Amino acid sequence: MDTPTLQKQQTLHLKQRITLMVNQYEVFASDGSGTPGDLVAFAQQKRMALKEQVTLYTDSTKSQVVAGFKARQVIDLGATYDVTDASGSAIGNFRKDFAKSLLQSTWHLEQPSVGVITGTERSLPVALLRRFVLSFLPYHFDFVRNGAVAFSVNKKFSLRDRYVITINDPELDRRLVIAMAVALDALQAR
């Protein structure tokens, strides 16, 4: 799917593939009836990298890059991750707010033309239950810009990780949103 067509998508579906050695994800556009349609990206986390790195491809052949993200520093609890397009140009960045995340996970996402958007777990009670009692509970994030939800990431109950991403802000680069959604799964527990 080309970037202008991807940019028009308002609902995306993210599914983790079951693999032993590496995190892999498939991202689908919605087919209009609430179920996954066409594949828009395939993500793979780099194995044994000193700095966390994930590349988004057009499909599982990994022949064409869509975007990617990489940590600026080696193993840091509040690391900033730079998101770039296929040519290496900056799209934006995100980072986990370590202090706020002790009780309720909080992320800051920045797109140059849009500014900073803060994403927080929707429910503090669920966040606390997940941390201290029921770690399998799904989490839901709302990313807010100027008091309105710019996009949300909702984890579904499933044997493998599945998410529905709803994008309300037309200015957001979908590649940045996809990178953030993949990071919520790949990096959330760190």
Side-chain angles (χ1 to χ4, degrees):
M1 182 175 286
D2 62 25
T3 303
T5 304
L6 177 60
Q7 193 60 26
K8 294 176 186 174
Q9 303 303 309
Q10 294 179 304
T11 303
L12 299 168
H13 299 267
L14 173 67
K15 293 181 181 181
Q16 183 179 30
R17 280 186 165 186
I18 306 284
T19 62
L20 292 175
M21 297 299 292
V22 65
N23 284 334
Q24 293 182 333
Y25 302 90
E26 296 170 312
V27 183
F28 301 90
S30 182
D31 70 354
S33 68
T35 58
D38 295 332
L39 182 71
V40 297
F42 174 82
Q44 181 167 308
Q45 191 171 14
K46 189 171 182 179
R47 295 177 192 199
M48 295 184 264
L50 289 176
K51 294 181 183 180
E52 289 290 345
Q53 182 175 348
V54 173
T55 304
L56 303 168
Y57 301 95
T58 55
D59 57 36
S60 61
T61 65
K62 299 185 275 186
S63 59
Q64 186 177 351
V65 173
V66 173
F69 65 86
K70 185 176 182 177
R72 288 182 185 170
Q73 5 356 320
V74 177
I75 308 174
D76 181 1
L77 297 174
T80 297
Y81 296 84
D82 293 307
V83 182
T84 56
D85 66 13
S87 68
S89 298
I91 297 172
N93 64 68
F94 57 84
R95 68 178 174 80
K96 189 171 190 176
D97 189 322
F98 180 73
K100 287 185 180 180
S101 294
L102 291 174
L103 295 178
Q104 189 173 20
S105 294
T106 302
W107 291 81
H108 302 288
L109 176 122
E110 184 171 3
Q111 180 179 320
S113 61
V114 173
V116 178
I117 299 168
T118 300
T120 306
E121 281 184 273
R122 187 175 298 151
S123 169
L124 178 58
V126 170
L128 294 173
L129 280 172
R130 274 190 345 92
R131 281 161 179 70
F132 301 113
V133 182
L134 305 169
S135 62
F136 63 86
L137 286 176
Y139 49 81
H140 311 295
F141 278 84
D142 290 322
F143 286 79
V144 177
R145 174 183 176 211
N146 300 327
V149 176
F151 72 98
S152 60
V153 179
N154 295 296
K155 187 173 184 179
K156 301 297 180 187
F157 271 113
S158 176
L159 291 177
R160 64 181 184 165
D161 294 340
R162 289 183 30 230
Y163 302 84
V164 175
I165 306 158
T166 306
I167 307 161
N168 303 317
D169 190 330
E171 293 184 64
L172 286 176
D173 190 309
R174 297 329 192 235
R175 298 167 298 178
L176 183 59
V177 171
I178 291 169
M180 184 74 251
V182 168
L184 286 175
D185 188 85
L187 308 174
Q188 180 61 21
R190 295 166 198 206

